[in-house]
């Protein structure tokens, strides 16, 4: 049987070889992970580890190729993600630019 879904919406950015996270869905492993971290309190440094819209997946289970990362996201039983986050100012500008590309 199939396990719980990861719960991320993403789109590939081929020029940067990353998967851009466009949403963290309310039902899924990532939403649960974010909720678990939030229980440490608003002063916790762990809050920086939450997965947010605008983050970029740069590696999935050691794979850095977009096609391989997408396949791992669909089929792997366990997953290790490496995620990059841009500074807040850059994130806002980047989100606006990417929304205009749709």
């Amino acid at each position: 049987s199939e396990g719980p879904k990861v719960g991320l919406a993403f789109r590939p950015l081929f020029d940067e070889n990353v998967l851009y996270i466009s949403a963290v869905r309310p039902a899924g492993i990532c939403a649960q992970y974010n909720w678990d971290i939030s229980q440490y309190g608003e002063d916790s440094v762990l809050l920086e580890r939450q997965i947010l819209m605008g983050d970029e997946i740069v590696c999935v289970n050691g794979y850095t190729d977009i096609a391989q990362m997408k396949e791992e996201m669909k089929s792997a039983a366990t997953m290790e993600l490496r995620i990059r986050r841009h500074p807040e100012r850059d994130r806002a500008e980047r989100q606006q630019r990417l929304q205009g590309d749709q």
Side-chain angles (χ1 to χ4, degrees):
S1 77
E2 191 173 311
K5 299 285 186 192
V6 175
L8 292 176
F10 56 83
R11 62 188 259 210
L13 300 180
F14 292 101
D15 58 332
E16 298 179 41
N17 208 48
V18 299
L19 299 175
Y20 175 84
I21 298 173
S22 55
V24 179
R25 296 191 174 116
I29 294 170
C30 290
Q32 180 66 50
Y33 170 83
N34 283 349
W35 185 87
D36 290 347
I37 286 180
S38 74
Q39 299 310 296
Y40 288 98
E42 61 186 43
D43 294 334
S44 174
V45 296
L46 291 176
L47 289 179
E48 295 175 6
R49 302 191 117 215
Q50 287 185 316
I51 299 169
L52 305 174
M53 183 179 97
D55 288 350
E56 297 168 352
I57 300 168
V58 297
C59 184
V60 180
N61 292 344
Y63 294 103
T64 57
D65 174 76
I66 284 181
Q68 292 172 316
M69 289 192 292
K70 287 171 67 174
E71 183 58 35
E72 286 293 303
M73 295 284 286
K74 283 194 301 191
S75 62
T78 61
M79 217 175 300
E80 180 179 323
L81 303 177
R82 188 171 308 144
I83 295 175
R84 173 173 67 197
R85 179 170 297 154
H86 292 280
E88 207 53 50
R89 185 192 80 240
D90 296 341
R91 286 169 60 88
E93 290 174 10
R94 190 170 179 74
Q95 286 174 356
Q96 283 184 330
R97 181 172 51 84
L98 290 171
Q99 287 172 350
D101 289 348
Q102 292 181 350

